[in-house]
Amino acid sequence: MSTTAGSPPVVVTLAEIARIAGVGRAAVSNWRRRYDNFPSPVGGTETSPHFSLPQVEEWLRRENKLKTGVNPLERLWPEYESLGNRETTGLLVAQVGLRQSSVKAGRPAVEPLLDQRQARLLERTLELAEPDEKHSIFDLLLERWLRTHVRQITTTPVQLARLMAQAAVMNHPGPVRTVLDPACGVGTLLVAAGRQWGADRAAGLSFLGQDSDAVLVELAKAHLAVSGFAERDLSNVSLAVGDTLRADAHPGAQADVVLSNPPSNERDWGHAELATDPRWVYGQPPRTEPELAWVQHAAATLAPGGIAVLVLPPGVAARRAGRRIRAGLLRSGVLRTVIALPPGAAPPYGVGLHLWILCADGAEGLGGADRAELTFVDTTHGGGPESVDRGGVDWSAVTAQIVGVLGGTSTQGSVSVPVVDLLDDQVDLTPARRVPRTRAATIVDLRRLWTRFDAHMRELRDAADALSALVPADGDETVPLISVGELERAGALEIRTGQGLPESLVRRGERQEDEAHVLTGAPLSGQAQLWLPASAVAAGKQDGSLTVTASQDVIVSVLARAFDVRVDTDAPSVLGPQLAALRANPAVLDPWFLSGCLRAPANVHRAGTHASTTSRIDVRRLHIPRLTLEEQRQYGEIYRKITTFEHELTDMKSVGGELSRALGDLLAAGQLPRA
């Protein structure tokens, strides 16, 4: 495979070599060890080396390692990645979809300006497309592009998009002419809407959307086109680039259905400049409540009888700052249903998100059909005891539960509460606080807890077996020590102290995509969840105003009363002023050995100032033994096991407490089996 002169080299990782060869990654690692003529890395790192694609393909052919039946696009994708940036690659993927669909897209939101190399890659890609599977090539490229940039782009899972469209049709049984997604991304929800109302009826369906990322808008157009929901001239598709809250591209739009997964936890959403916006019928959203701005925008764009289904973080249902707006939505009858989804349904996967269903003022709707009531649905236990061990989200069970409640054929895990009972000082709309727990739900919790408890028990037993086999060395031989200050002067490590933080940008709550953890002091574990956006971290790192860790940095809390040390395995982290980062030179110093030795209680007495209860540790006065690198690694491995032992003990205590409470609930209800 030739490379155009002057263009970046096409490189691949071990995982990509495995996909090209149609084998597992372990097989590629074995080839590297067994074959002296395996291509040498041309870049990357020791843990993630990069190899020249032409050299790899030549070696695979020479050694007869290429399996038949491997998708040719697996060999083509590295060339897309070598184009150099997210925008260029994304626009080329969009061009593949639009060209395949033979639509006349008009002038794109961002002019692709394909150079000779990109144009040739586009033509080669289209030549690989199977005539009877015209969608697969675009779907594969889009999936790979999204996977590559997963930290920058949040997408709605297909299963959730399908569920949202189904919930909308349950509340809007009549004809649908216009569907809107004001934060459309790559068009997953718009495509789900097209599929819900059928390709044969989509000819009369108009798709409206907007996103601040021009590349995503082009991909959304291509997504609709290859799915068969766009006219040849895209006359039924109006997707615009821009900030929907600040500059709505579809003012006065009257949508029959709004489906959206809007951005959350954004502080700079236009709070001050939009203070008098007519969309704020139920009150101006506080600066800390951007999600309620999106809710009111969706309500303002609904046609009479229209339905909106939005994905929202659970905090929107309970935060005190938004209680006045929630009360207004309830009094008007616009908010009809709040559904709690199980964790893992959508990013961020560790949080159980909510679906809010809004009906245009005056619409009859389903679910909370009586405007004097709000329907709560809790699907977090909807899978039933038999599905606990399968892992992930049981979408069929969750969908069946929601459809049953909205259709009026089931009340499983739901309750309808009079609006007047919700209009208290909190206006808390969290389903878990309203839906009664069932015996089946408690059994689900028990099985999940026992599964977690057993996993912690196994890890704890493995660590205990390894540590209990250790025998202290005989003799009174003293190992010479060396101070951190001496190690710094010798170039074995670098000390970087924490700095003041931009408080206005620090955000509390669950982590969003592409955010860095902020550490403010001791204890290093169990701190409040504080985050900084990637843009602020990058700027602070570049101008030196922030201390940002790298993987394997050793973080030290310098307060003597709460001295703590740990290896940062979740880098990057941003350190506050009571912390320091030690970056070891891996050629002479093992970070796990360093962390374990620094943590010794004797070091605190040796290095503390003893001035007061607020005395600080002088990091440079901490000492470690002088050992060879091989000995350090042996000690470092022991410290890893000690760390695992401590973490598993802590987790077992937490899970054990939850188990005790769940068993106590069943005992108090007389629902434990009799002897």
Side-chain angles (χ1 to χ4, degrees), residues 146-205:
L146 290 172
R147 191 196 313 166
T148 301
H149 304 290
V150 67
R151 293 179 61 85
Q152 293 84 37
I153 301 169
T154 300
T155 58
T156 305
V158 173
Q159 300 95 324
L160 177 57
R162 188 182 301 123
L163 171 61
M164 293 170 66
Q166 197 165 353
V169 82
M170 294 293 296
N171 284 271
H172 195 295
V176 172
R177 293 172 294 276
T178 304
V179 178
L180 167 68
D181 183 352
C184 65
V186 297
T188 306
L189 286 167
L190 293 175
V191 170
R195 289 178 177 148
Q196 180 64 57
W197 281 279
D200 56 334
R201 286 178 286 167
L205 187 61

Side-chain angles (χ1 to χ4, degrees), residues 524 554-558 563-566 578-582 598 617 619 622:
L524 292 174
V554 176
I555 303 176
V556 182
S557 169
V558 298
F563 180 69
D564 198 5
V565 183
R566 83 170 189 207
Q578 297 176 345
L579 301 171
L582 278 58
L598 293 182
I617 296 295
V619 176
L622 296 168

